[in-house]
């Protein structure tokens, strides 16, 4: 009877993961179809400028909720949940407006090196910051309520609106503002879809509510917010550094390649990571050792990722040129280089929650700081020492990989699992990817030569 109940609970969890994953899959498919058309219409520079603005908004949002959004997941009292929701929404609105005004002042003084008006940039950032963070707030509320059917539709709505509106506006000639308007509209409509399932009252100026929230959730302000800031700054550093050192056009090529690489991560790794986190949390609560389970799952994730990585490293430039056309060769080379970094990102995303379960969040924080330094050193060396973007990208990727290997080795040591066995699998996987990609590329070149087609660089 107990075993049957456990199977039913696990089956329900898998169905919930499947719901969210199916929505993500459809949304990613829409993005995959529309992105090449959008890139051809607007060009790499506009995509790069949007990536920079989105990066700025993401960094602001790492502290715009004071780290309180995740507290919605653990609130059990309805009135307390509503107070927290009102307080967070009001804080986010205030910081969004202030951030937009600061951006307006900044770009009024410092030229933006694009065709965008400073009033438009300030307004765009204010709206983007608010909608992005509110989307996360609503997502957390609905996740807590178990509204997975609603969450399933979000990526579909967002990507469909962006794709359709951006393409239509671009074809109508609105190539300066069309893409920005489409992405904001996608965020707003997605947010309105979720808001219909949330409390009608969004804001509050009641000081008692603020006092209650800050008193009861002080740990989130002290620990969650700094963690969010460090993590998001680390994630956005490549975008900021590439724009600073190499310009908006190169950033656009980088953004395009990363969007293509993120599709398998969004489709598979996130879903695997959710189930993994839930499983090791349950094992920990039952007093079971998680080391062997973690090791086996990471080895399985390596095996799952090896074949796609061989394909991407071998034919990444051809895939980009096929999707986006001639002129995007730089993005193809970027994709081939960053594929190795994304192999380790896939492993990390597939094993979400290890540090939380092991109570070793300090390891994650140290890893974030080390990766940030790696990004600065790698891209900085590429810009100032070698004067070559690709060299900087290779150095950045190598440093990222080394840090990830040390990070996982340390965690395996904590779990009393041989880190040498993990390292042996990592080395063998990288060698298989290198050799496999080399052979696959040579065979591909021979076949294309026979067919009289030239896509890849030798």
């Amino acid at each position: 009877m107990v075993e049957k109940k456990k199977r039913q609970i696990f089956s329900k969890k898998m169905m919930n993961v499947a719901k969210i994953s199916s929505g993500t899959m459809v949304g990613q498919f829409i993005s995959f179809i529309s992105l090449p058309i959008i890139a051809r219409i607007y060009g790499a520079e506009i995509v790069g400028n949007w990536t920079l603005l989105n990066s700025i908004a993401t960094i602001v949002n790492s502290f715009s909720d004071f780290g309180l959004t995740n507290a919605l997941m653990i609130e059990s009292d309805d009135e307390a949940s509503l107070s927290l929701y009102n307080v967070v929404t009001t804080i986010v609105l205030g910081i969004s407006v202030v951030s937009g005004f600061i951006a307006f002042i900044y770009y009024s003084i410092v030229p933006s090196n694009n065709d965008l008006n400073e009033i438009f940039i300030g307004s765009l950032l204010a709206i983007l910051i608010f909608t992005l963070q509110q989307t996360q707030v609503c997502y957390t509320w609905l996740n807590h309520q178990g509204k997975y059917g609603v969450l399933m539709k979000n990526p579909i709505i967002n990507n469909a609106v962006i794709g359709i509106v951006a393409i239509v506006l671009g074809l109508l000639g609105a190539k300066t503002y069309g893409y920005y308007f489409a992405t904001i509209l996608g965020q707003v409509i997605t947010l309105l879809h979720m808001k219909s399932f949330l409390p009608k009252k969004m804001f509050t100026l009641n000081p008692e509510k603020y006092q209650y929230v800050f008193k009861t959730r002080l740990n989130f302000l002290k620990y969650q917010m700094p963690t969010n800031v460090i993590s998001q700054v680390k994630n956005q550093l490549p975008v900021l550094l590439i724009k600073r050192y190499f310009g908006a056009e190169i950033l656009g090529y980088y953004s395009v390649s990363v969007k293509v690489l993120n599709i398998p991560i969004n489709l598979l790794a996130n879903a695997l990571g959710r189930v993994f986190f839930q499983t090791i949390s349950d094992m920990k609560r039952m007093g079971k050792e998680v080391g062997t389970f973690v090791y086996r799952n990471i080895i399985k994730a390596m095996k799952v990722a090896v074949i796609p990585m061989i394909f991407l490293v071998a034919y990444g430039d051809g895939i980009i040129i096929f999707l986006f056309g001639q002129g995007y060769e730089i993005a193809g080379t970027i994709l081939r280089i960053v594929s190795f970094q994304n192999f380790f990102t896939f492993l990390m995303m597939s094993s979400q929650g290890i540090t939380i379960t092991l109570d070793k969040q300090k390891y994650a924080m140290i890893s974030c700081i080390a990766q940030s330094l790696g990004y600065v050193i790698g891209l900085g060396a590429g810009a100032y020492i070698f004067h070559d973007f690709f060299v900087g990208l290779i150095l950045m990727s190598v440093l990222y990989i080394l840090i990830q290997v040390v990070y996982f080795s340390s965690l395996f040591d904590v779990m009393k699992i041989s880190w040498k066995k993990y390292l042996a699998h990592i080395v063998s996987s990288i060698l298989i990817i290198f050799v496999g990609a080399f052979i696959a590329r040579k065979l591909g070149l021979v076949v294309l030569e026979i067919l009289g087609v030239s896509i890849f660089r030798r």
Side-chain angles (χ1 to χ4, degrees):
M1 186 68 182
V2 175
E3 286 297 321
K4 183 179 179 181
K5 188 174 181 180
K6 285 183 179 178
R7 285 196 298 269
Q8 288 175 342
I9 293 171
F10 181 74
S11 177
K12 187 176 180 180
K13 289 177 182 176
M14 291 301 295
M15 285 178 64
N16 291 334
V17 170
K19 277 184 181 180
I20 298 175
S21 298
S22 62
T24 302
M25 184 180 296
V26 176
Q28 289 296 309
F29 178 76
I30 295 169
S31 177
F32 183 75
I33 297 297
S34 60
L35 182 61
I37 303 171
I38 291 170
R40 288 170 188 255
I41 292 173
Y42 292 97
E45 188 171 353
I46 285 180
V47 175
N49 285 327
W50 167 257
T51 302
L52 176 65
L53 293 172
N54 189 68
S55 180
I56 293 170
T58 302
I59 291 173
V60 173
N61 278 338
S62 66
F63 61 83
S64 69
D65 65 339
F66 289 5
L68 293 168
T69 296
N70 286 331
L72 287 167
M73 281 295 290
I74 60 173
E75 285 286 4
S76 56
D77 181 75
D78 290 341
E79 188 175 345
S81 295
L82 180 59
S83 294
L84 179 57
Y85 168 68
N86 296 153
V87 168
V88 171
T89 303
T90 309
I91 292 171
V92 171
L93 177 63
I95 292 180
S96 302
V97 173
V98 171
S99 300
F101 183 71
I102 292 172
F104 164 72
I105 297 296
Y106 176 81
Y107 285 108
S108 296
I109 300 170
V110 181
S112 62
N113 296 323
N114 56 46
D115 297 327
L116 300 179
N117 179 280
E118 59 269 16
I119 297 176
F120 178 80
I121 294 176
S123 303
L124 179 73
L125 272 174
I127 297 170
L128 183 61
I129 290 166
F130 181 74
T131 54
L132 281 174
Q133 190 61 277
Q134 269 298 286
T135 299
Q136 289 302 311
V137 172
C138 294
Y139 190 102
T140 306
W141 179 283
L142 294 170
N143 193 22
H144 182 56
Q145 299 292 324
K147 303 288 186 181
Y148 297 107
V150 179
L151 298 178
M152 176 186 70
K153 298 173 185 175
N154 288 341
I156 301 173
I157 294 170
N158 189 41
N159 286 292
V161 171
I162 292 172
I164 294 169
V165 175
I167 291 169
V168 170
L169 290 178
L171 293 175
L172 291 174
K175 294 187 178 180
T176 301
Y177 295 99
Y179 184 55
Y180 306 111
F181 178 78
T183 49
I184 286 293
L185 186 63
Q187 280 293 129
V188 170
I189 292 178
T190 303
L191 183 58
L192 290 174
H193 165 250
M194 287 193 288
K195 282 291 186 185
S196 60
F197 298 91
L198 269 79
K200 302 300 179 186
K201 186 179 179 182
M202 294 174 59
F203 307 105
T204 183
L205 295 175
N206 186 341
E208 292 181 1
K209 289 189 176 183
Y210 286 87
Q211 186 179 8
Y212 170 78
V213 168
F214 292 154
K215 184 179 179 180
T216 58
R217 299 304 172 197
L218 183 61
N219 282 345
F220 282 84
L221 277 79
K222 291 170 62 177
Y223 303 114
Q224 188 65 49
M225 186 170 68
T227 302
N228 290 347
V229 172
I230 293 170
S231 178
Q232 289 303 335
V233 168
K234 182 266 294 185
N235 291 339
Q236 302 306 319
L237 256 184
V239 171
L240 301 176
L241 293 172
I242 290 171
K243 174 63 169 64
R244 171 68 179 83
Y245 295 149
F246 304 102
E249 187 175 5
I250 294 295
L251 176 58
Y253 293 132
Y254 175 81
S255 176
V256 163
S257 65
V258 169
K259 283 178 184 290
V260 173
L261 282 170
N262 280 345
I263 289 172
I265 290 178
N266 290 331
L267 288 178
L268 186 58
N270 279 329
L272 290 173
R274 289 189 189 103
V275 177
F276 176 86
F277 191 7
Q278 183 65 50
T279 304
I280 60 173
S281 297
D282 289 343
M283 290 176 68
K284 192 71 175 179
R285 278 194 293 270
M286 291 185 286
K288 296 181 179 179
E289 294 295 329
V290 300
T292 303
F293 176 79
V294 171
Y295 176 76
R296 287 176 180 171
N297 274 270
I298 288 180
I299 300 306
K300 286 178 183 177
M302 286 185 203
K303 293 177 180 178
V304 168
V306 161
I307 298 301
M309 287 303 108
I310 290 174
F311 183 77
L312 288 169
V313 174
Y315 306 126
D317 49 350
I319 294 168
I320 291 291
I321 293 170
F322 175 77
L323 291 174
F324 297 93
Q326 297 296 327
Y328 278 84
E329 291 84 359
I330 292 175
T333 305
I334 292 171
L335 187 144
R336 294 183 69 203
I337 295 170
V338 180
S339 291
F340 285 101
Q341 181 177 324
N342 270 52
F343 174 73
F344 286 86
T345 303
F346 182 88
L347 297 182
M348 184 177 67
M349 295 298 293
S350 299
S351 53
Q352 294 175 33
I354 293 180
T355 54
I356 295 172
T357 304
L358 297 176
D359 197 24
K360 294 292 180 182
Q361 291 93 328
K362 181 174 68 174
Y363 284 33
M365 186 178 70
I366 293 171
S367 174
C368 280
I369 295 170
Q371 285 170 29
S372 299
L373 291 173
Y375 292 151
V376 173
I377 293 168
L379 290 172
Y384 293 113
I385 299 175
F386 299 99
H387 307 289
D388 190 305
F389 169 64
F390 293 121
V391 172
L393 200 63
I394 291 170
L395 290 173
M396 181 189 83
S397 297
V398 169
L399 290 171
Y400 177 90
I401 290 168
L402 290 175
I403 291 163
Q404 284 288 357
V405 169
V406 173
Y407 168 71
F408 274 107
S409 297
S410 301
L411 290 177
F412 280 122
D413 193 49
V414 170
M415 292 182 284
K416 299 179 181 178
I417 298 292
S418 173
W419 59 267
K420 293 180 181 179
K421 290 170 61 179
Y422 159 75
L423 188 59
H425 277 285
I426 284 292
V427 172
S428 62
S429 295
I430 291 176
L431 286 174
I432 290 169
I433 293 170
F434 261 118
V435 175
F438 177 81
I439 295 171
R441 189 171 181 84
K442 289 296 183 183
L443 290 174
L445 285 168
V446 170
V447 171
L448 290 175
E449 192 172 335
I450 293 171
L451 297 174
V453 178
S454 178
I455 297 179
F456 309 127
R457 293 179 180 177
R458 293 181 179 274

